Amino acid sequence: MQLKFVLPVLLVNLCGFTGIDSVIARDDGKNDTRDSLNITIKQAEDLFLKNNLSLIAGQYNIDDARAQVITARLFDNPEVSYENILYNSANKRILDVSKQTGQRAASISQLFQTAGKRNKNIKLAKMGVQQAEFQLFDLLRTLKYTLRTDFYKIYYQEQSAKVYAKEISSLSKTLVGFKQQYAKENIALKEVLRIQSQLYTLQSELNELKDDIDDVQSEFKLLIRTNANVHIVPQLEFNLDGKDVLQQVTYKKLLDSAYTNRYDLKLSHSVIESSNLNLRLQKSMAIPDVTMSITYDRFAGYTPNYTGLGISIPLPLFNRNQGNIRQAKVAIDISKNALAQQEDQLQSDLDNSYQAADRLERLYNSFDPKFKADFTHLIEEVYKSYEKHNISLLEFLDFYDSYKTNAIQLNNLQLNRISSLEQLNFVTGTPFFNQQ
């Protein structure tokens, strides 16, 4: 076959590593009118803390809990009653209010809670504020983990998309040249179909990758609450190549930090504390409250202008709040069991995350930093072999496909490594490995 005259086109398209960005811009931006937002991870976190609606809603929950403290501090209102004669049969007057013959009575009463019920309710309400704060901080931990992992996922998936776009652009141009040569009967149809098949496969893979990128972009934009029509362009400002990041913190320190700084654990401890306080409150509810009253009666049966002091106490003969006391005891056992399960899960998650991060760090650091450049050089050498007819077109394309596969796997490895460090940050509740 007379392939030598099409080889320069193949070399330029497949092995040319200059002008890639302009190719990507034409490929990706052909039908895309969206604006781009270049953003660092620090800028993303600032926007997230300022704009995220879930965090704002969490702050409202804290304000609501604080309002309940105000309610718990309030005393019961006094009760006032007034009674006037409806019909005086002696003088045939309706609603007789005269001083001589009008009958009226009035009273005022005040409920006094006993056994420290009011103070216990105030403490419970304050614990409610604390728990709302813990829930907000734990929500912050979860959303921040999502934000950071989405940021890195977008960046490395975009890098992989560039690899695809580069090969698609190259093969598309090569396919045009091969079709022209096939029309002149200089090459076989199978050569054209082989490139065309490879091109369709790459386009399909790139389309799936872009779908994944769009999904992550959408979630990321909701987190920072930016325009949905904006295209996020993450800017990475660090390099983990050859760094033993994980070795900087001991496993014991990670575990201790998790027990100390995880707000969901703090919330569980607070739930146990509030359950114990609620039990004491329910026991105090079995002690009757006292109602004091003062009564005035204009024409009482005992004496005119009667004034009396009264006290009322319900007798706890049947209802001594037994059900609520029992329920409060069960709530304590449930909350203790939930905390034990949570601590077991924490230890399991930390061990699993640490082992994964350690494997990924050792695997990544075992790679020769020159590997990517050497592989690129290898592609050029493969071309020379192809030009000398030492290898077939199929072998040549397979070598180039290997380059694409290697580049994507390397991007995925870097993403997985950073994600594993973010997972440790999430599990411990401490930004040990935050990369800015």
Side-chain angles (χ1 to χ4, degrees), residues 5-27 164-181 187 192 195-196 199 202-203 397:
F5 58 88
V6 299
L7 290 178
V9 175
L10 201 60
L11 173 62
V12 171
N13 291 335
L14 292 182
C15 300
F17 293 91
T18 59
I20 296 175
D21 291 340
S22 61
V23 172
I24 301 301
R26 289 194 299 270
D27 179 73
Y164 275 109
K166 171 189 172 183
E167 189 167 357
I168 289 171
S169 178
S170 299
L171 287 181
S172 296
K173 295 175 182 179
T174 303
L175 180 60
V176 173
F178 269 54
K179 285 183 177 180
Q180 292 173 351
Q181 297 306 316
I187 58 176
V192 178
I195 295 179
Q196 197 169 41
L199 179 62
L202 292 173
Q203 289 173 332
L397 292 178

Side-chain angles (χ1 to χ4, degrees), residues 133-197:
E133 292 173 344
F134 289 160
Q135 289 173 340
L136 175 61
F137 291 138
D138 192 58
L139 175 65
L140 175 62
R141 176 180 71 100
T142 303
L143 294 181
K144 190 174 181 181
Y145 168 73
T146 304
L147 175 82
R148 293 180 67 90
T149 52
D150 282 355
F151 179 89
Y152 297 126
K153 188 178 294 184
I154 293 171
Y155 176 82
Y156 285 108
Q157 285 184 334
E158 291 284 6
Q159 299 306 306
S160 296
K162 289 181 180 180
V163 176
Y164 275 109
K166 171 189 172 183
E167 189 167 357
I168 289 171
S169 178
S170 299
L171 287 181
S172 296
K173 295 175 182 179
T174 303
L175 180 60
V176 173
F178 269 54
K179 285 183 177 180
Q180 292 173 351
Q181 297 306 316
Y182 171 72
K184 299 177 181 179
E185 300 183 352
N186 291 328
I187 58 176
L189 177 61
K190 65 179 182 179
E191 303 290 348
V192 178
L193 294 179
R194 177 66 184 88
I195 295 179
Q196 197 169 41
S197 175

Side-chain angles (χ1 to χ4, degrees), residues 49-62:
L49 293 174
K50 178 181 178 182
N51 298 331
N52 187 266
L53 293 178
S54 296
L55 295 182
I56 295 174
Q59 184 60 54
Y60 288 148
N61 291 335
I62 295 175

Side-chain angles (χ1 to χ4, degrees), residues 269-316:
H269 284 289
S270 179
V271 169
I272 293 176
E273 187 178 352
S274 62
S275 296
N276 282 306
L277 180 57
N278 182 57
L279 175 60
R280 296 197 295 271
L281 173 63
Q282 296 306 321
K283 287 181 178 180
S284 68
M285 295 294 287
I287 301 175
D289 294 329
V290 177
T291 301
M292 302 290 295
S293 63
I294 298 177
T295 303
Y296 167 78
D297 196 323
R298 168 85 168 123
F299 290 123
Y302 171 71
T303 180
N305 296 316
Y306 168 81
T307 302
L309 176 66
I311 182 172
S312 64
I313 303 175
L315 298 178

Side-chain angles (χ1 to χ4, degrees), residues 195-238:
I195 295 179
Q196 197 169 41
S197 175
Q198 180 78 356
L199 179 62
Y200 291 161
T201 299
L202 292 173
Q203 289 173 332
S204 178
E205 291 177 0
L206 177 58
N207 185 67
E208 292 179 2
L209 179 59
K210 285 186 175 182
D211 285 342
D212 291 339
I213 293 175
D214 287 342
D215 290 341
V216 182
Q217 286 251 355
S218 177
E219 183 177 60
F220 186 85
K221 285 181 283 190
L222 283 175
L223 288 171
I224 65 174
R225 202 184 176 196
T226 191
N227 194 325
N229 197 40
V230 167
H231 182 74
I232 301 297
V233 182
Q235 305 294 309
L236 243 61
E237 299 178 343
F238 64 90

